[in-house]
Amino acid sequence: MESLDAILSDVIEHIRPGNAERAAVKALTESIIEELNTRAASMGINAHAISVGSTARDTWLSGEADIDIFIMFPADTPEHELKTEGLLLAKSVSSSYEERYASHPYIHAHFRYGGMEYGVDLVPCFAVKDATSLKSAVDRTPFHNEYVRERLPGLEDEVRLLKQFLRCLGIYGSEQRRKGFSGYLCELLILKYRSFIALLRHAANWRYGERIDIEGHGQYSGDDPLIVIDPVDPSRNVAAAVSPYSFCRLIDAAREFLARPARSFFMPKEAKPLSESEFHRILRDRGTYFIIIRFEAPDVVDDILFPQLRKAEASIRRLIERNDFVVYRSDVTVDGGSALLVFELLVWQLPCIKKHLGPPVTLRRHAERFKAMHSPPFLIEDCRYVVEVKRSYTDVKSLLKNELRSCNLGRHLSKVVQAGYEVLEPEELRITPGISSFLRNYFGNS
Amino acid sequence: MESLDAILSDVIEHIRPGNAERAAVKALTESIIEELNTRAASMGINAHAISVGSTARDTWLSGEADIDIFIMFPADTPEHELKTEGLLLAKSVSSSYEERYASHPYIHAHFRYGGMEYGVDLVPCFAVKDATSLKSAVDRTPFHNEYVRERLPGLEDEVRLLKQFLRCLGIYGSEQRRKGFSGYLCELLILKYRSFIALLRHAANWRYGERIDIEGHGQYSGDDPLIVIDPVDPSRNVAAAVSPYSFCRLIDAAREFLARPARSFFMPKEAKPLSESEFHRILRDRGTYFIIIRFEAPDVVDDILFPQLRKAEASIRRLIERNDFVVYRSDVTVDGGSALLVFELLVWQLPCIKKHLGPPVTLRRHAERFKAMHSPPFLIEDCRYVVEVKRSYTDVKSLLKNELRSCNLGRHLSKVVQAGYEVLEPEELRITPGISSFLRNYFGNS
């Protein structure tokens, strides 16, 4: 077995940006900031730009530089002014861009530099006095930046190892689609444990509700699997987005890597495409029934779409189970403008009768009402009346075709589902590359 | 609607024994007692006979006389002597009889009298000083007899109405097969409420655990649906054998009869025989799967056999459900030397994969042991490891064919099942008259 140190040094060589990349990112960032500040002055806008995020903290992965530039307005700037002037200023320096909106509008621009293209976020924010007096959700970022820049130097490569490790596990990033570990969270974990390996050694023994409070000032309590108190805001859990799955995935991988260290943990898995015939063979071997609900994905960002898809998945699962069918597993994905919810079933057809449970025989009033409403024979089981009635749906496909709109699907999905949806069996599903890799992952990447 | 009084008077005319029957029973009983006492004297046996039960209390239903005669030995008689001499004496007066054994040996004899045949139980017992100092379970009976004879006169027809009512509901008799209301219990209920109708009015409002304590001396507590303290033994529940089903059945029928009184409540239901083709049509309409386990009924009395069959039914149900099949209903019966357990299923076939749930990811020691014992892929669901494994049985018939002997079947059934059993589908089942009426009843007599 290769030594741990040898593996890690070798991985670092691959993921640490080279001098040329580093120089290019630095030069591009500085030129955009200078341009922004110059324009602000000439346009009479009271604002200045600063560099934040992984490029500012030297923790980005080679080839993955995303430049974040915040445009700071005085805290007493009226909100509409910040919005108008901030976007105006950002657009004035960008030739190719799109306007985006998280909790807050910003510009995502594309810059070419030294033959490479870089994505640059230009985000207006308020220069508030401290991170607990926010005027907008993004105002905290400059404080994060300052906190990390002061303390991290010397540990940047440890952060890179952690980010790459999580990326290969599919749990890097706090977006709703992934519910993993954000870049800032990675930095804090390294600040706490001082090295990637020390973090893994601790993570291997984490318990649900693990609490990390570097500044010892936490005022947060919640049922999250991982709680990392924000050093700049005692009431905030930086790991709030980490799902139970992501939490467990890291614990499991930490143990595996420590037990059998290998370079492969840092190499992105290239999912073999799953061919149509392989898909059908897998289904035949499993003997389960696959059913796919497909509709047009509503035009909202992933962070809004995915929570709604997960809620819809749970709601449809309950619909299926309320009708006595048995779901084995389910999952959701988005592929080329379509949202797909897949359900794998152990029981998808049922006899046409079912028991309808009535009140306890001893509750006379309820008993009499029940008997007036139903036809004999009245069976008695466990001291309750039972009648046999016709089941509304004897197969899951017709249930979904007819009752999907009765599910609680959330605002955006309800609208698109009202407009139309399809209920597909596997042979009706076209296996695109996106669906192929989704299915490969669903079946356990085996 | 015919008046309640008219219906009841008319029913009483039919179920009250006529003068001839009454005279015959009286004469036969007296002659047997006299013969027993004479023989005892001549054989030098210190014992005397008395008449007990419904014929002694004038509460039997016309045409249903079962004569009970107890042979009383002094309480200090050694048990083996009571047994030997009691049976010897009983046999000496009987020409046609069989030896039976409840908790205690006795003789069931057949006597012809006035062109009719009567069943007569001749039961040796100890003449203990009171009903709480029993030497055998039957010693209580003479005290019951005395208690009822002193108090019941004038209410005999009310008892008859109750017995006939319960008989037509299929819940008269405390045997294990039926788990209904014994004759003595009927008498006590009438002693308490003074009339059949008053009893029904109360029963219509009974709650689970209903307690009746005529002498107000009860020292019994238990989870039975109905508790009727024995007037001659404060620690005994006379209604201990009444199942929750029988209890609820009476409550339900009481309400129905009071709401719509009719003669039909007192007429035994002649179950229309269920033909083979009708059976198959019903199954087709229900869409369920019927499977029948048949084996030779062990040679024990019903009161031992039926509890074992019920226990086996529950045990097999658990076996089926542990394997993820879904039982809809089940029942047991005995027909011509065969015991039958029928299971009606909603789910009787399943895909070949199933989830095998592992430990929580956070329990490191357990997690490592689990991963060493199973093969990847390891899924993580709700913070636990999950692996997909092959299901042992994908259909319920092969499950039952292979695993029945692993069930807890009780002593007597285990032995016969070890010797052999059949697992039958409906078309393999020969519909005898007994099975026909069992099935008719199972399907709700509709």
Side-chain angles (χ1 to χ4, degrees), chain B residues 29-30 32-37 47-53 55-57 67-73 89 120-128 138-147 149:
Chain B
T29 307
E30 283 173 357
I32 297 172
I33 288 179
E34 206 184 308
E35 181 76 6
L36 279 167
N37 289 340
H48 68 282
I50 62 166
S51 160
V52 300
T55 52
R57 272 110 84 170
I67 297 171
D68 291 308
I69 293 174
F70 271 45
I71 306 167
M72 316 269 288
F73 285 78
L89 185 59
V120 180
D121 283 342
L122 300 165
V123 184
C125 81
F126 294 100
V128 292
V138 295
D139 299 347
R140 217 186 264 110
T141 303
F143 296 94
H144 292 165
N145 202 52
E146 203 174 335
Y147 185 88
R149 279 176 73 128

Side-chain angles (χ1 to χ4, degrees), chain A residues 184-344:
Chain A
Y184 177 51
L185 177 55
C186 290
E187 292 163 345
L188 293 182
L189 290 173
I190 293 301
L191 277 179
K192 169 73 182 179
Y193 295 114
R194 315 307 295 172
S195 80
F196 170 65
I197 290 299
L199 163 66
L200 292 195
R201 293 213 171 101
H202 280 90
N205 292 314
W206 276 351
R207 293 304 184 99
Y208 193 100
E210 191 68 30
R211 193 178 178 91
I212 294 168
D213 186 356
I214 298 174
E215 294 295 323
H217 66 174
Q219 286 163 27
Y220 175 92
S221 64
D223 186 32
D224 311 321
L226 178 62
I227 296 173
V228 177
I229 301 296
D230 194 340
V232 307
D233 184 348
S235 68
R236 182 170 173 263
N237 176 15
V238 180
V242 175
S243 67
Y245 171 79
S246 299
F247 177 73
C248 290
R249 196 79 186 78
L250 171 57
I251 294 172
D252 178 64
R255 293 182 195 144
E256 289 294 326
F257 180 74
L258 293 173
R260 282 170 295 278
R263 264 181 187 71
S264 59
F265 282 87
F266 297 94
M267 297 192 228
K269 314 251 169 319
E270 288 284 316
K272 284 175 294 178
L274 183 81
S275 70
E276 210 141 321
S277 66
E278 198 180 351
F279 177 43
H280 292 133
R281 184 189 54 71
I282 289 175
L283 291 188
R284 233 180 3 258
D285 286 353
R286 294 167 80 79
T288 53
Y289 179 76
F290 236 69
I291 189 113
I292 303 112
I293 298 171
R294 184 170 66 190
F295 48 81
E296 199 192 324
D299 189 20
V300 293
V301 296
D302 277 5
D303 271 6
I304 293 186
L305 178 56
F306 271 83
Q308 289 214 358
L309 287 176
R310 289 289 173 202
K311 265 174 66 180
E313 177 190 9
S315 177
I316 294 168
R317 220 177 150 124
R318 284 194 299 275
L319 170 71
I320 294 174
E321 286 167 352
R322 219 166 33 240
N323 282 272
D324 299 334
F325 303 106
V326 180
V327 177
Y328 182 65
R329 287 170 57 200
S330 61
D331 207 347
V332 306
T333 192
V334 172
D335 177 64
S338 290
L340 289 93
L341 292 85
V342 310
F343 295 89
E344 186 178 14

Side-chain angles (χ1 to χ4, degrees), chain A residues 201 204-208 225 244-245 247-249 251-252 255-256 258 284-289 317 324 326-329 344-356 360-364 367-368 371 376-391 441-446, chain B residues 201 204-208 225 244-245 247-249 251-252 255-256 258 284-289 317 324 326-329 344-356 360-364 367-368 371 376-391 441-446:
Chain A
R201 293 213 171 101
N205 292 314
W206 276 351
R207 293 304 184 99
Y208 193 100
Y245 171 79
F247 177 73
C248 290
R249 196 79 186 78
I251 294 172
D252 178 64
R255 293 182 195 144
E256 289 294 326
L258 293 173
R284 233 180 3 258
D285 286 353
R286 294 167 80 79
T288 53
Y289 179 76
R317 220 177 150 124
D324 299 334
V326 180
V327 177
Y328 182 65
R329 287 170 57 200
E344 186 178 14
L345 291 112
L346 292 183
V347 176
W348 57 93
Q349 284 183 311
L350 284 167
C352 61
I353 55 164
K354 65 169 194 166
K355 280 182 196 170
H356 177 65
V361 172
T362 48
L363 295 185
R364 186 170 189 174
E368 284 169 351
K371 292 186 78 170
F378 294 97
L379 309 176
I380 296 172
E381 287 187 2
D382 295 334
C383 292
R384 303 181 76 128
Y385 287 110
V386 170
V387 286
E388 296 186 333
V389 296
K390 284 263 170 207
R391 185 181 295 284
N441 193 53
Y442 176 92
F443 291 123
N445 215 353
S446 53
Chain B
R201 293 212 170 101
N205 292 313
W206 275 351
R207 294 304 184 101
Y208 194 100
Y245 171 80
F247 177 72
C248 291
R249 196 79 187 79
I251 294 172
D252 178 66
R255 293 183 195 142
E256 289 293 327
L258 293 172
R284 231 176 8 255
D285 287 353
R286 295 167 80 80
T288 53
Y289 179 77
R317 220 177 151 125
D324 299 334
V326 180
V327 177
Y328 182 65
R329 287 171 58 200
E344 187 177 14
L345 291 112
L346 293 183
V347 176
W348 58 93
Q349 286 183 311
L350 283 167
C352 61
I353 55 164
K354 66 169 194 167
K355 280 182 195 168
H356 177 64
V361 173
T362 47
L363 296 185
R364 186 170 188 175
E368 285 169 349
K371 291 186 80 171
F378 294 97
L379 309 176
I380 295 172
E381 287 186 2
D382 295 333
C383 293
R384 303 181 75 130
Y385 288 110
V386 170
V387 286
E388 296 187 332
V389 296
K390 284 264 169 206
R391 186 181 293 286
N441 193 53
Y442 176 93
F443 291 122
N445 216 350
S446 52

